[in-house]
Amino acid sequence: MSRIDEPNYAHTKPPLHRMTTAIPLAPPHSNALRSEDAFLALIGRCFPNSHHRLLLGRGDDCAVIDCRESLCVSSDLFLEDAHFRMAYFAPEDIGYKALAVNISDIGAMGAKPLGFVLNLMAPKHLERGFWEAFFHGMAELAAEHDLYLAGGDLSDAPYLGIAVTIWGERPEGGKFLRRVQARPGDVLFLVGKVGLARLGLALLERGLGKTAEISMSVTPEDCPAAIQAHLRPALHPAVATSLSRTDWVRGLMDVSDGLARDLPRFLGTGLGCSLTLDPETLHPELRLFAQENGVDAAEWAVLGGEDYALLGVVAARDWDVLREKIPAVWRLGDVTAKPGIHLNGKQMRSRGFDHFSR
Amino acid sequence: MSRIDEPNYAHTKPPLHRMTTAIPLAPPHSNALRSEDAFLALIGRCFPNSHHRLLLGRGDDCAVIDCRESLCVSSDLFLEDAHFRMAYFAPEDIGYKALAVNISDIGAMGAKPLGFVLNLMAPKHLERGFWEAFFHGMAELAAEHDLYLAGGDLSDAPYLGIAVTIWGERPEGGKFLRRVQARPGDVLFLVGKVGLARLGLALLERGLGKTAEISMSVTPEDCPAAIQAHLRPALHPAVATSLSRTDWVRGLMDVSDGLARDLPRFLGTGLGCSLTLDPETLHPELRLFAQENGVDAAEWAVLGGEDYALLGVVAARDWDVLREKIPAVWRLGDVTAKPGIHLNGKQMRSRGFDHFSR
């Protein structure tokens, strides 16, 4: 697509065939990626363009993907200063997390991710080394999940932004798991941690002088797991597909905005929940932080976002057999007939985050 | 997903259930969209959330889409000041074109578009009226092509940006049409106009004082078709699927960056072409402009991007029957065994645009 501020009036440029038959990679002494073709060459080295589920790879107007009777599809933005900061994200972590948050959405359906497209808003000031690390971080995660990259788009932009669209399929013998099927008395369960990524974020932001609300005597060095949880959230793809294959799970979602905000979305209107969160079961780094700062660790955990834990619901009578079959699940609480969240016996009065309400 | 610069420390906000069970639409006297929910409510009014090919609509972690054995997938960015200007694009034209450029990619495969996801980078200063018009322009085009909107993401951002991912399928009795299958002697053909969108762009940019390279005595009022070609490019979905159903078409693509840049991509290495472009066959507005400015109208047309015409190739022996069956095709020239583009007997020395080479 043409860029507006330089229409194609280029009558004095070299002959067409000289400009298009060779890949104009930046010369070795340059640190910039000088052309779209240089970007595509780098992407080509990081992401194989063939896969047994990819019928036609990148390079045409569309890719052609193999599918069975249905696919689940999701898409997430990952934008500089909205979702990550260049100051404390290594380039490979940006590449990793931009894809990870999308893979998490597929797992939240109990599905198996297959492939994705990548839209990249790429500021000119970022150097070749940045992009090599960025694509490496993303490609490593893609390879780990056997994902193909089917295409995308690239544009110069004033700040770094990534938009990924991902798709997946029902695992063999499984089904897609939706959100809203809970009933009063059901058991709520989690796979993965909560609250840890929020602690990591708070520590990283404090390093930039951005979070003055809470003084913290703990340091990032005390909390490597919390930092890691924010920069490279853990994913649970194998547990997700196992849950999809059982007969007991009534609903599943991933907790991206924090339990306080995501639980009402999960339960729908008319239902609430009573959570029992023994602080002793939380991560030691979270307990240390809470103790040093006089904070309620359980409430901190319920308000914290970006852990990408899986939140599920199961009939009370099926809880024991589910836990026996899938030991990664842990009991969070019970569904109640009255809206609202009770945490360890007290009604919660806080909520999660809305991008536009401030 | 949480926003980094305001962690969820909100202990003094209203109870959770009051914040989440009602849709917090902006009050009638406000011109802003104050929350993510207000955006989603507006999107819900513009885009139906059910469709016979959409098995699970928006609102869960993923949508679930119905598919047969394969899908073609494409994704395009549409960014303020890179791909459009707020100064002369009406909000409904931005919504229209952001989706149109994606639909064009599906047509370029001879395929039928089915659905899409929308990622929106939405600056806070844009008012409710802007968004109503934006979604109206996009929804109108989606309805025209019977497309469902399957989801997406929304974030505050310093400038307006749209990332659409779209998918489509092989029409019944048709096949996907790729780019690279031309042979020397084949006939190149087009569906749609070329050069007109470039003229529209030049006129609109001149209005902002941005194009000083060429003085123009013609005005935007003289050239409504050129302006329209830039703001709302014509699409050719019915012709695309008809071409897919014939046995003759060897390759197809859409011309987004201009013929000068897209022809070498279409033909691949080792082939060139000889184009015969009688200026008398070009649009009267383009002829008027060329005459008034001493410009070669044919060369202007070949260098111009963003018309989203379809470029195809057919064996010479099949040309007559193709033209008889699908009258929308017009003959552009012939494939040659020697790389490079000859236009009306002269070798061209100009090329299209690369976002990163400047």
Side-chain angles (χ1 to χ4, degrees):
Chain A
M1 188 179 293
S2 293
R3 188 178 166 84
I4 283 173
D5 53 12
E6 190 181 86
N8 301 326
Y9 302 142
H11 293 289
T12 56
K13 292 190 176 168
L16 184 68
H17 66 277
R18 277 185 45 206
M19 301 304 295
T20 51
T21 52
I23 293 172
L25 275 174
H29 61 273
S30 164
N31 283 323
L33 281 176
R34 291 268 171 95
S35 71
E36 207 167 296
D37 287 335
F39 258 98
L40 296 181
L42 178 55
I43 289 169
R45 287 199 298 277
C46 294
F47 297 92
N49 200 13
S50 64
H51 188 282
H52 70 287
R53 303 296 303 273
L54 186 60
L55 304 176
L56 174 64
R58 305 182 299 269
D60 214 301
D61 296 290
C62 290
V64 179
I65 64 173
D66 170 39
C67 54
R68 284 132 201 188
E69 88 284 348
S70 62
L71 291 174
C72 62
V73 184
S74 184
S75 199
D76 265 323
L77 288 165
F78 197 61
L79 307 180
E80 182 178 346
D81 286 336
H83 304 106
F84 67 90
R85 286 205 203 276
M86 302 287 273
Y88 53 72
F89 266 79
E92 48 270 49
D93 294 335
I94 300 173
Y96 175 98
K97 191 165 176 179
L99 180 57
V101 300
N102 280 279
I103 292 176
S104 180
D105 281 320
I106 301 293
M109 300 294 290
K112 187 189 163 338
L114 292 173
F116 66 108
V117 291
L118 170 65
N119 284 306
L120 206 53
M121 289 154 272
K124 281 219 186 66
H125 65 84
L126 294 174
E127 300 195 338
R128 167 177 291 273
F130 175 92
W131 291 114
E132 283 170 352
F134 171 89
F135 288 124
H136 185 75
M138 183 174 280
E140 216 176 13
L141 183 62
E144 190 186 317
H145 294 267
D146 191 23
L147 300 183
Y148 55 80
L149 173 63
D153 196 10
L154 174 67
S155 179
D156 180 26
Y159 73 109
L160 179 60
I162 302 110
V164 167
T165 301
I166 194 167
W167 49 90
E169 68 188 358
R170 207 168 47 80
E172 202 130 332
K175 57 189 171 303
F176 290 121
L177 294 171
R178 298 182 51 183
R179 290 182 180 178
V180 194
Q181 310 198 29
R183 296 170 215 172
D186 282 358
V187 170
L188 290 165
F189 66 85
L190 278 174
V191 178
K193 310 230 177 314
V194 284
L196 210 55
R198 182 186 176 195
L199 175 57
L201 173 63
L203 288 163
L204 291 162
E205 287 287 292
R206 191 184 55 171
L208 302 180
K210 301 258 182 194
T211 55
E213 286 137 297
I214 290 184
S215 83
M216 289 188 280
S217 57
V218 293
T219 67
E221 290 67 37
D222 297 328
C223 301
I227 302 288
Q228 180 79 357
H230 182 70
L231 299 179
R232 291 206 171 213
L235 300 170
H236 314 281
V239 184
T241 52
S242 297
L243 291 169
S244 155
R245 288 193 183 102
T246 73
D247 287 329
W248 311 300
V249 178
R250 289 189 167 160
L252 195 70
M253 80 178 285
D254 70 332
V255 186
S256 55
D257 291 344
L259 282 167
R261 196 168 176 87
D262 285 334
L263 269 165
R265 293 174 177 154
F266 185 58
L267 297 170
T269 51
L271 293 178
C273 58
S274 172
L275 311 184
T276 307
L277 233 171
D278 179 356
E280 290 306 306
T281 64
L282 293 171
H283 194 278
E285 292 177 7
L286 200 51
R287 298 206 315 266
L288 171 70
F289 157 76
Q291 190 183 335
E292 297 274 321
N293 287 271
V295 163
D296 181 331
E299 187 171 289
W300 175 277
V302 171
L303 287 170
E306 297 203 69
D307 287 294
Y308 300 97
L310 293 174
L311 168 66
V313 70
V314 63
R317 66 172 176 275
D318 297 328
W319 168 246
D320 285 338
V321 60
L322 181 72
R323 189 175 46 179
E324 192 180 331
K325 183 161 169 151
I326 302 175
V329 301
W330 58 275
R331 186 172 180 145
L332 176 67
D334 305 293
V335 179
T336 58
K338 202 181 148 201
I341 298 176
H342 281 74
L343 174 60
N344 295 336
K346 284 194 301 190
Q347 173 143 19
M348 287 195 67
R349 304 214 150 254
S350 305
R351 62 178 193 115
F353 173 81
D354 183 319
H355 274 200
F356 284 86
S357 62
R358 290 175 305 143
Chain B
M1 190 179 293
S2 293
R3 188 179 166 86
I4 283 173
D5 53 12
E6 191 181 86
N8 302 325
Y9 301 142
H11 293 288
T12 56
K13 292 192 176 167
L16 184 68
H17 65 277
R18 278 186 43 205
M19 300 305 294
T20 52
T21 52
I23 293 172
L25 275 174
H29 61 273
S30 163
N31 284 322
L33 281 176
R34 291 268 172 97
S35 71
E36 207 168 297
D37 288 335
F39 258 99
L40 296 181
L42 177 55
I43 289 170
R45 287 199 297 277
C46 294
F47 297 92
N49 200 14
S50 64
H51 187 283
H52 71 285
R53 302 298 302 274
L54 186 59
L55 304 176
L56 174 64
R58 305 183 297 271
D60 214 301
D61 295 290
C62 291
V64 179
I65 64 173
D66 169 41
C67 53
R68 285 134 199 187
E69 87 284 348
S70 62
L71 291 175
C72 62
V73 183
S74 183
S75 198
D76 265 322
L77 288 165
F78 197 60
L79 306 179
E80 182 178 347
D81 286 335
H83 304 106
F84 67 91
R85 284 205 204 277
M86 301 288 272
Y88 52 71
F89 265 79
E92 48 269 50
D93 293 335
I94 299 173
Y96 175 98
K97 191 165 177 180
L99 180 56
V101 299
N102 280 279
I103 293 175
S104 180
D105 280 321
I106 300 293
M109 300 294 289
K112 185 187 165 341
L114 291 173
F116 66 108
V117 290
L118 170 65
N119 284 306
L120 206 52
M121 288 153 273
K124 281 221 186 63
H125 65 84
L126 294 174
E127 300 194 339
R128 168 176 290 274
F130 175 92
W131 291 113
E132 282 170 352
F134 172 89
F135 288 124
H136 185 74
M138 184 176 279
E140 215 177 14
L141 183 63
E144 189 186 319
H145 293 267
D146 191 23
L147 300 184
Y148 55 80
L149 173 63
D153 196 10
L154 173 68
S155 178
D156 180 28
Y159 72 109
L160 178 61
I162 301 110
V164 167
T165 300
I166 192 166
W167 48 90
E169 68 187 358
R170 208 167 46 79
E172 203 131 331
K175 57 189 170 302
F176 290 121
L177 294 171
R178 298 184 50 185
R179 291 181 178 179
V180 195
Q181 309 196 31
R183 297 170 214 171
D186 283 357
V187 170
L188 290 165
F189 66 85
L190 279 175
V191 178
K193 310 232 178 310
V194 284
L196 210 54
R198 181 185 177 196
L199 175 57
L201 173 63
L203 288 163
L204 291 163
E205 287 287 293
R206 190 184 56 170
L208 302 180
K210 300 258 182 195
T211 54
E213 288 137 298
I214 289 182
S215 82
M216 289 189 279
S217 56
V218 292
T219 68
E221 290 67 37
D222 297 328
C223 301
I227 301 289
Q228 179 79 354
H230 182 68
L231 299 179
R232 293 207 170 211
L235 300 171
H236 314 282
V239 184
T241 52
S242 297
L243 290 168
S244 156
R245 289 193 183 101
T246 73
D247 287 329
W248 311 301
V249 178
R250 290 188 166 161
L252 194 70
M253 80 178 285
D254 70 330
V255 186
S256 55
D257 291 345
L259 283 168
R261 195 166 178 87
D262 285 333
L263 269 165
R265 292 174 178 155
F266 185 60
L267 298 170
T269 50
L271 293 177
C273 59
S274 174
L275 311 183
T276 307
L277 234 172
D278 180 356
E280 289 306 306
T281 65
L282 293 171
H283 194 278
E285 293 177 8
L286 201 53
R287 298 208 313 269
L288 171 71
F289 157 76
Q291 190 183 334
E292 297 274 321
N293 286 272
V295 163
D296 181 330
E299 187 170 288
W300 175 277
V302 170
L303 288 170
E306 296 204 69
D307 287 293
Y308 299 96
L310 294 173
L311 168 66
V313 70
V314 63
R317 65 172 178 276
D318 297 327
W319 167 246
D320 286 337
V321 61
L322 180 73
R323 188 175 47 179
E324 192 180 331
K325 183 162 170 150
I326 302 176
V329 301
W330 59 275
R331 186 172 182 145
L332 176 67
D334 305 293
V335 179
T336 59
K338 202 181 147 199
I341 298 175
H342 282 73
L343 173 61
N344 295 336
K346 285 194 302 189
Q347 173 143 20
M348 286 195 69
R349 305 212 149 256
S350 304
R351 65 178 190 113
F353 172 82
D354 183 318
H355 273 200
F356 284 86
S357 62
R358 290 173 305 143

